[in-house]
Amino acid sequence: MVRVTADDAYTQAQPKPNQAGIQYLPKGSRWKVVGVSKDGSYVNIGGYVDASKVNIEL
């Protein structure tokens, strides 16, 4: 699980910078992680989100 810590977090289709946002993720919301990008910079919750905008929760 991850918890969103940023006010401007969105999912995106590809684990790359400067992608168009798809779904807004409200700050404080929690999401199940289904994968991580190869470089570890993005977590996949059904769409990729910048790992710097979430905290991992056990």
Side-chain angles (χ1 to χ4, degrees):
M1 296 287 289
V2 292
R3 182 175 49 86
V4 178
T5 58
D7 289 321
D8 62 344
Y10 288 83
T11 60
Q12 56 191 55
Q14 299 292 321
K16 299 177 182 176
N18 303 316
Q19 296 288 307
I22 297 170
Q23 178 185 356
Y24 173 70
L25 304 174
K27 186 174 181 177
S29 62
R30 291 179 169 85
W31 302 87
K32 181 180 178 182
V33 175
V34 296
V36 179
S37 65
K38 289 181 183 180
D39 66 2
S41 297
Y42 295 86
V43 292
N44 185 343
I45 60 169
Y48 289 95
V49 62
D50 187 331
S52 69
K53 297 184 179 189
V54 297
N55 279 344
I56 294 173
E57 294 187 338
L58 301 175

